[in-house]
Amino acid sequence: GAGVSQTPSNKVTEKGKYVELRCDPISGHTALYWYRQSLGQGPEFLIYFQGTGAADDSGLPNDRFFAVRPEGSVSTLKIQRTERGDSAVYLCASSFGGGANYGYTFGSGTRLTVV
Amino acid sequence: AQSVTQLDSQVPVFEEAPVELRCNYSSSVSVYLFWYVQYPNQGLQLLLKYLSGSTLVKGINGFEAEFNKSQTSFHLRKPSVHISDTAEYFCAVSDRGAGKSTFGDGTTLTVKP
């Protein structure tokens, strides 16, 4: 696609529920990143895929968070047993290569609200 | 561990005035440095990046930034701002060879007529 697409743009869920956030990167971009942005803060790294595999998942806060990219294109971020502290904007980015030197192209984000 | 400090959370300036947004970083290894911009109701967009070579890098929309290794800074400048430059600006650092970046908390630039 022309840009990084994230769906849904907004998601409201009840505490304890399971949510899935989807990211469709730019066609041909091999690297895909998930970041989380809380109000008044900069993006915080969660996980980075090179192709189908997670190259670095050191930013995932706990085992309630999981992400997949089974075919090396679309990725899904999965959050189990959501908590109010999970409320944030979840950003997806992609880049042509695997290093940060390429810079990121970001999507518009999914705003997750846990009530 | 890396960290990024954006020294000003808000910078108000008048149109056509010069502006400098300050960024300091800490890292134990060689780094890449970035500035991203987020216009209202839009996603983050890469403004410019420093990888190696000349310490003065030019980006889109007339912005430039200077890498100063001794001061571990990467300040963003524009000689004359426009109303349309009103946005949130984020500085980011990445270790060479790594995929992830560490972002600062952002500087809100407000350009007033």
Side-chain angles (χ1 to χ4, degrees), chain A residues 33 35 37 42 58 100-101 104, chain B residues 34 36 49 94 98-101 104:
Chain A
Y33 308 81
Y35 282 79
Q37 187 174 18
S58 62
N101 53 306
Y104 304 145
Chain B
F34 308 85
Y36 288 84
K49 60 184 178 182
S94 175
K100 67 182 179 184
S101 292

Side-chain angles (χ1 to χ4, degrees), chain B residues 20-71:
Chain B
E20 178 180 79
L21 306 184
R22 297 180 295 166
C23 173
N24 285 95
Y25 70 94
S26 67
S27 177
S28 58
V29 298
S30 296
V31 297
Y32 300 134
L33 293 155
F34 308 85
W35 277 97
Y36 288 84
V37 59
Q38 187 169 28
Y39 297 106
N41 301 314
Q42 295 186 29
L44 284 108
Q45 176 181 350
L46 181 65
L47 196 55
L48 50 78
K49 60 184 178 182
Y50 170 78
L51 303 181
S52 64
S54 173
T55 57
L56 183 65
V57 292
K58 295 187 183 298
I60 60 173
N61 300 337
F63 283 93
E64 62 183 31
E66 186 159 20
F67 169 55
N68 187 318
K69 187 174 182 179
S70 63
Q71 297 187 6

Side-chain angles (χ1 to χ4, degrees), chain A residues 53-97:
Chain A
D56 184 349
D57 65 358
S58 62
L60 294 177
N62 51 59
D63 61 7
R64 295 187 297 107
F65 288 74
F66 190 70
V68 296
R69 195 186 185 198
E71 297 177 358
S73 178
V74 171
S75 176
T76 305
L77 179 65
K78 309 180 181 194
I79 310 174
Q80 298 178 322
R81 305 184 303 281
T82 52
E83 300 176 357
R84 292 196 178 87
D86 298 335
S87 296
V89 176
Y90 288 80
L91 299 171
C92 178
S94 68
S95 68
F96 181 73

